[in-house]
């Protein structure tokens, strides 16, 4: 279901992205879509109201219209959100935002990477890691950082579907496998 | 009229001038003698043989039936005896089988107990040191087989009713004919003798005088037979015989033929009955003759089956014991392997836990820097970086 949902979300995202490209504001639309998805994921009341089948469609539309001007004033994003609501696809909003971002990054020739370390990395270290990843992917890399003490030491970088693991935790696990086998 | 009365009346008969219907004189003794002679002859030649043939016929039919009943009883008794012997043989054979089975089961228990004990020992050792189934009847049967009239194996009676009866009837008719001949021939010879050479000469007196004289002379002489009268009597007898034969012969023949057929049917039925009983008796005799072999075969077969079952049970027990041993060995091996893996896992976990604690305590900023350098170098040098 998740894969199917991802595929559907990518289709909707691609449609909106093409509109944005045509209008020349795909970056703005992408940011508004990102904000709308974050607001939707962050408010359980909003999710319950829009996903509850007891609530009438007209009421759902009214709620959505009340929220949209604050986070996504563009008419394209507003129509996009209303279309998802009318077709019962509002739950794919988060996936659509992610797919839209990937499309936008691909168009801009960049890729997003998540770098996780046991302790926070300094700017120089992050820069070295970014340059290494750009050399590895041949694209401009936008880094997001995260800290996970369970790694003990080292770095884990996730670029799209690619995972580059240089953590001490993973090395200990590999050592454990060798001992057992 | 008794003989004494006749003797008393043998004095000169009263003279009458009219012809007498019954003329009793001395010839009555001759007739009486002839009658007795005829009775003796007929009794000897006809009556007694007839009675004998009749008795033989009755006894033959009854004898056949009696033989049949006797043979049926004999056959039933032999069958019962044979069944009893077979049942006994089966009982003995079954006992052998039970004994063999018990022996096999005991052996099976022993084998399994040994296998279990060995398995328990091995498991204990492993746990203690972790690596981690008839003669008189045949004689009697043989005795019964001796040829005996009317019994199976003997030729049937030579048909006394047919040959003897014909001979007896032939003799009886001969005697009857002889008696009739004597009755007729003696008085006729005497009359002829009187006519041709005897007492009176030819007389030509008047008829009435002659009759009276002759009456007077004849009263003292032997009686004479009038051929004409005799001829009429014979003719009368012939007519009687003709009437009897004409109107009674058919019925008599029919009755005799029916009786003959009935006798034949009875005889055939009795013979058939006896033949069936004889066949049944022979069958039982044959079975009795082979009974000893049959019993011996049965006992041999039961014993062989018992032995086979015993062998099969023991083989199955051995197989089960071997399987228990194999399963035990496999279980031990599996447990050893599990223990080994568990030990390795525990050791690895313990070592890694210790290493992790040491690393957590000892990794500093310089080490983190080296790790980042190593990561960056690996990413740059190895394009085929490990992906998860």
């Amino acid at each position: 279901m998740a894969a199917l949902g991802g595929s559907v979300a990518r289709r909707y995202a691609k449609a909106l992205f093409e509109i944005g490209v045509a209008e020349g504001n795909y970056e703005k639309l992408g940011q508004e879509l990102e904000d709308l998805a974050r607001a939707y994921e962050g408010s359980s009341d909003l999710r319950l109201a829009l996903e509850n089948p007891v609530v009438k469609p007209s009421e759902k539309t009214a709620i959505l219209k009340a929220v949209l001007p604050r986070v996504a004033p563009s008419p394209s994003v507003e129509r996009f959100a209303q279309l998802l609501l009318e077709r019962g696809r509002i739950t794919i909003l988060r996936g659509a935002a992610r797919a839209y971002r990937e499309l936008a990054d691909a168009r801009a020739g960049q890729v997003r990477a998540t770098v996780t370390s046991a302790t926070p990395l300094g700017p120089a270290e992050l820069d070295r890691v970014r340059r290494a990843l750009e050399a590895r992917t041949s694209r401009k890399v936008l880094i997001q950082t995260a800290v996970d003490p369970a790694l003990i030491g080292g770095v884990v970088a996730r670029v799209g579907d690619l995972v580059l693991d240089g953590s001490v935790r993973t090395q200990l696990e590999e050592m454990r496998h060798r001992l057992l086998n | 009229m008794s003989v004494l009365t006749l003797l008393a009346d043998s004095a000169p008969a009263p003279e009458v001038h009219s012809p007498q219907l019954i003329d009793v004189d001395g010839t009555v003794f001759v007739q009486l003698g002839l009658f007795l002679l005829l009775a003796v002859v007929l009794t000897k030649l006809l009556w007694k043989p007839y009675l004998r043939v009749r008795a033989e016929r009755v006894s033959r039919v009854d004898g056949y039936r009696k033989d049949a009943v006797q043979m049926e009883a004999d056959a039933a008794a032999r069958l019962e005896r044979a069944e009893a012997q077979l049942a006994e043989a089966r009982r003995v054979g079954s006992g052998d089988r039970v004994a063999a089975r018990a022996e096999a089961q005991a052996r099976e228990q022993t084998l399994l107990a040994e296998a279990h004990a060995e398995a328990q020992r091995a498991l204990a050792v492993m746990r203690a040191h972790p690596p981690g189934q008839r003669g008189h009847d045949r004689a009697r049967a043989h005795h019964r087989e001796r040829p005996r009239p009317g019994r199976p194996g003997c030729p049937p009676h030579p048909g006394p009713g047919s040959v003897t009866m014909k001979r007896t009837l032939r003799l009886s008719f001969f005697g009857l004919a002889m008696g009739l001949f004597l009755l007729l021939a003696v008085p006729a010879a005497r009359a002829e003798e009187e006519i041709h050479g005897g007492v009176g000469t030819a007389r030509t007196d008047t008829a009435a005088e002659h009759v009276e004289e002759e009456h007077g002379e004849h009263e003292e002489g032997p009686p004479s037979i009038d051929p004409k009268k005799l001829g009429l009597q014979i003719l009368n007898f012939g007519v009687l015989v003709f009437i009897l034969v004409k109107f009674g012969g058919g019925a008599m023949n029919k009755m005799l033929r029916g009786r003959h057929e009935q006798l034949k049917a009875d005889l055939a039925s009795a013979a058939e009955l006896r033949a069936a009983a004889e066949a049944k008796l022979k069958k039982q005799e044959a079975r009795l003759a082979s009974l000893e072999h049959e019993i011996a075969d049965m006992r041999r077969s039961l014993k062989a089956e018992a032995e086979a079952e015993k062998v099969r049970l023991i083989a199955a027990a051995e197989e089960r014991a071997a399987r228990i041993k194999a399963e035990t060995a496999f279980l031990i091996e599996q447990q050893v392997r599990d223990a080994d893996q568990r030990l390795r896992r525990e050791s690895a976990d313990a070592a890694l836990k210790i290493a992790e604690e040491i690393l957590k305590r000892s990794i500093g900023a310089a080490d983190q820097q080296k790790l980042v350098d190593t990561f960056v170098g690996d990413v740059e040098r190895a394009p085929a970086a490990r992906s998860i």
Side-chain angles (χ1 to χ4, degrees):
Chain A
M1 269 317 269
L4 184 63
S7 174
V8 172
R10 192 172 295 112
R11 250 191 355 258
Y12 278 91
K14 187 178 180 182
L16 180 62
F17 180 74
E18 288 175 353
I19 292 173
V21 170
E23 291 177 351
N25 60 352
Y26 71 90
E27 291 176 344
K28 181 186 174 194
L29 295 182
Q31 187 60 46
E32 290 181 1
L33 182 61
E34 191 77 26
D35 293 341
L36 178 61
R38 195 177 300 115
Y40 179 79
E41 290 294 327
S43 173
S44 58
D45 291 338
L46 181 60
R47 287 200 311 274
L48 286 173
L50 297 181
E51 295 176 10
N52 193 340
V54 175
V55 179
K56 295 178 180 178
S58 59
E59 292 176 352
K60 291 179 180 178
T61 304
I63 293 171
L64 186 62
K65 281 184 177 178
V67 172
L68 279 172
R70 283 181 284 181
V71 294
S74 300
S76 299
V77 176
E78 184 180 351
R79 287 197 301 273
F80 177 79
Q82 287 178 350
L83 183 65
L84 290 179
L85 187 64
E86 289 169 3
R87 299 192 178 183
R89 300 283 195 184
I90 194 65
T91 56
I92 66 169
L93 186 58
R94 186 66 198 165
R98 191 183 308 118
Y100 188 99
R101 189 178 60 202
E102 290 173 355
L103 289 169
D105 288 344
R107 180 174 180 83
Q110 60 188 20
V111 64
R112 295 176 188 271
T114 301
V115 176
T116 308
S117 58
T119 56
L121 297 175
E125 291 167 336
L126 280 176
D127 187 56
R128 291 178 58 201
V129 171
R130 182 180 53 77
R131 277 188 276 113
L133 292 175
E134 285 177 347
R136 176 73 174 82
T137 60
S138 304
R139 290 184 185 180
K140 182 182 178 185
V141 174
L142 301 176
I143 289 181
Q144 293 178 336
T145 59
V147 175
D148 183 4
L151 295 180
I152 300 174
V155 176
V156 177
R158 183 187 299 273
V159 183
D161 294 333
L162 177 67
V163 175
L164 303 168
D165 194 337
S167 68
V168 174
R169 162 68 61 197
T170 301
Q171 292 177 28
L172 287 174
E173 284 297 323
E174 288 178 350
M175 190 183 301
R176 182 174 183 273
H177 281 292
R178 284 198 296 273
L179 286 172
L180 294 178
N181 297 322
Chain B
M1 185 180 295
S2 66
V3 176
L4 293 176
T5 308
L6 289 172
L7 289 173
D9 292 342
S10 64
E15 295 180 3
V16 292
H17 299 287
S18 59
Q20 298 297 306
L21 181 60
I22 298 173
D23 190 7
V24 177
D25 53 19
T27 63
V28 72
F29 298 106
V30 175
Q31 291 176 6
L32 182 59
L34 288 172
F35 173 76
L36 292 174
L37 177 62
L38 180 61
V40 168
V41 169
L42 288 178
T43 298
K44 187 172 180 63
L45 298 180
L46 184 63
W47 184 241
K48 285 186 177 176
Y50 167 72
L51 291 178
R52 188 173 64 250
V53 167
R54 185 168 176 269
E56 283 177 356
R57 187 176 59 212
V58 170
S59 68
R60 188 154 57 128
V61 173
D62 289 348
Y64 278 3
R65 287 176 178 161
K66 194 181 292 180
D67 284 349
V69 170
Q70 181 63 37
M71 284 187 283
E72 286 277 356
D74 286 350
R78 290 176 189 188
L79 177 62
E80 188 177 350
R81 199 160 58 240
E83 292 296 339
Q85 289 183 3
L86 285 171
E88 175 65 13
R90 284 192 199 98
R91 190 187 64 76
V92 172
S94 177
D96 292 345
R97 193 172 192 167
V98 169
R101 184 180 295 157
E103 188 179 343
Q105 285 175 342
R107 176 70 178 147
E108 178 184 16
Q109 294 297 327
T110 303
L111 284 170
L112 292 178
E114 287 174 0
H116 280 299
E118 191 176 335
Q120 293 298 328
R121 277 198 304 274
L123 286 171
V125 168
M126 189 275 295
R127 285 169 184 154
H129 303 284
Q133 167 111 201
R134 152 194 124 156
H136 67 284
D137 292 323
R138 176 179 280 184
R140 289 169 66 179
H142 185 68
H143 174 70
R144 288 174 185 263
E145 285 174 1
R146 285 185 306 176
R148 203 172 84 188
R151 297 307 303 263
C154 295
H157 287 288
S162 55
V163 178
T164 311
M165 186 68 177
K166 286 178 182 174
R167 189 169 61 236
T168 304
L169 288 173
R170 205 176 297 132
L171 288 171
S172 301
F173 281 119
F174 177 72
L176 190 61
M178 285 299 292
L180 189 60
F181 174 75
L182 289 173
L183 281 172
L184 298 175
V186 171
R190 284 186 178 176
E192 191 176 355
E193 189 180 337
E194 282 179 2
I195 291 169
H196 292 291
V199 183
T201 55
R203 297 182 183 180
T204 57
D205 298 335
T206 62
E209 287 174 350
H210 280 290
V211 170
E212 287 178 358
E213 286 175 1
E214 282 182 7
H215 265 294
E217 290 172 5
H218 288 173
E219 286 169 356
E220 295 176 357
S224 62
I225 293 175
D226 184 356
K228 183 180 177 184
K229 187 176 179 183
L230 179 60
L232 289 174
Q233 289 175 341
I234 291 173
L235 179 62
N236 188 31
F237 177 74
V239 169
L240 176 63
V241 168
F242 174 77
I243 290 171
L244 287 174
V245 170
K246 178 73 176 174
F247 298 103
M252 182 65 75
N253 281 335
K254 185 178 178 184
M255 184 195 75
L256 290 175
R257 195 177 300 113
R259 182 172 170 74
H260 176 70
E261 293 299 330
Q262 177 66 35
L263 286 172
K264 275 175 68 177
D266 287 349
L267 199 56
S269 169
E272 205 173 284
L273 200 63
R274 195 183 74 160
E278 183 180 350
K280 192 172 181 180
L281 185 61
K282 277 183 177 177
K283 183 180 175 184
Q284 294 303 330
E285 282 177 345
R287 186 175 180 191
L288 278 175
S290 64
L291 189 62
E292 279 190 10
H293 292 295
E294 190 176 340
I295 288 174
D297 289 345
M298 180 189 293
R299 285 180 177 167
R300 203 177 304 116
S301 171
L302 288 171
K303 191 169 183 178
E305 285 179 8
E307 285 297 324
E309 186 174 2
K310 177 181 169 184
V311 169
R312 184 177 56 76
L313 285 173
I314 290 176
E318 288 174 349
E319 185 184 345
R320 285 179 59 191
R323 199 183 311 126
I324 288 172
K325 290 177 182 174
E327 287 174 354
T328 303
F330 176 77
L331 186 63
I332 291 171
E333 185 183 350
Q334 194 72 18
Q335 288 185 354
V336 167
R337 190 182 299 118
D338 289 347
D340 180 59
Q341 288 183 351
R342 188 169 60 249
L343 185 63
R344 283 170 177 267
R345 189 165 53 249
E346 288 174 356
S347 300
D349 289 344
L352 288 174
K353 188 174 182 182
I354 293 170
E356 183 178 334
E357 289 174 355
I358 293 173
L359 287 170
K360 280 181 179 176
R361 283 198 308 266
S362 61
I363 286 183
D367 298 319
Q368 178 68 16
Q369 182 65 42
K370 288 181 182 177
L371 288 169
V372 172
D373 292 343
T374 305
F375 174 77
V376 170
D378 289 343
V379 172
E380 290 173 345
R381 283 193 302 270
R386 185 174 60 85
S387 64
I388 300 173

